[in-house]
Amino acid sequence: EIVLTQSPGTLSLSPGERATLSCRASQSVSTSSLAWYQQKPGQAPRLLIYVASIRATGIPDRFSGSGSGTDFTLTISRLEPEDFAVYYCQQYGSSPITFGPGTKVDIK
Amino acid sequence: QVQLVESGGGVVQPGRSLRLSCTASGFTFSDYAFHWVRQAPGKGLEWVAVISYHGRNDYYADSVKGRFTISRDISNNTVSLQMTSLRADDTAVYYCARTFRLSHYYMDVWGKGTTVTVSS
């Protein structure tokens, strides 16, 4: 099983600042089969990024993903008020599918 | 519009059974594999099970293998999760999500979830 580690656990930033979230895998994620999801309190997760760097339909271009192998990054270029949430990475290249523990982005 | 709606959650005693359903609408049901993903109170996401788009294959997390069964019914566009021998650590919000054709893929549409509480 591929274990995903996300850092930091919590990121405290102000609107307008840049957020950089890390996701590290215990072994290489095949064909960059990594996705990012955003979850707000009381809501279901929402797909942001797949194949490590492709934005899902309707996702603003301030969200970008990068990385390969074992190291992946989600960047939010300028935080908007609606971006304060928890972000999860997920690998789907190997069975079982696994999620990281999440990074909470909160308002400083 | 594209939608997944879960139902069937509730409070159940340890050792008992419960069946969750997920009703799909707004897209071609047979083109998609379906997953159940759960989230315990205050915790992260845990993948539970998947059924392939054709229904011939299913896979489970070790934590539920042998206790949970996923199935699909193309006649009414539903996916079910039969849960038996429930334990306190099965308490969670259960989400249904879809993936296009592949069982191991990214989940582009999620339902709002249904809450299962296992307690005596």
Side-chain angles (χ1 to χ4, degrees), chain A residues 13-16 37-41 43 46 48 58-63 76 78-87 105-107:
Chain A
L13 295 168
S14 300
Y37 300 86
Q38 176 193 67
Q39 188 179 35
K40 297 179 182 178
Q43 296 185 17
R46 177 175 73 142
L48 297 176
I59 301 304
D61 60 6
R62 63 180 181 273
F63 291 91
I76 311 171
R78 288 177 56 86
L79 282 164
E80 297 288 340
E82 61 268 28
D83 299 337
F84 291 92
V86 179
Y87 293 84
V105 179
D106 65 13
I107 299 176

Side-chain angles (χ1 to χ4, degrees), chain A residues 37 39 44 50 88 92 95, chain B residues 35 39 95 104-107 111:
Chain A
Y37 300 86
Q39 188 179 35
Y50 59 95
Y88 294 96
Y92 50 89
S95 185
Chain B
H35 302 253
Q39 187 169 36
Y95 296 102
H104 291 75
Y105 215 35
Y106 56 89
M107 301 169 193

Side-chain angles (χ1 to χ4, degrees), chain A residues 53-95:
Chain A
S53 62
I54 301 175
R55 274 190 301 277
T57 303
I59 301 304
D61 60 6
R62 63 180 181 273
F63 291 91
S64 63
S66 63
S68 63
T70 60
D71 289 293
F72 299 87
T73 300
L74 175 70
T75 301
I76 311 171
S77 59
R78 288 177 56 86
L79 282 164
E80 297 288 340
E82 61 268 28
D83 299 337
F84 291 92
V86 179
Y87 293 84
Y88 294 96
C89 58
Q90 174 219 4
Q91 71 79 24
Y92 50 89
S94 301
S95 185

Side-chain angles (χ1 to χ4, degrees), chain B residues 61-72:
Chain B
D62 285 346
S63 58
V64 307
K65 201 173 293 182
R67 300 188 300 123
F68 289 11
T69 303
I70 189 171
S71 60
R72 62 190 291 156

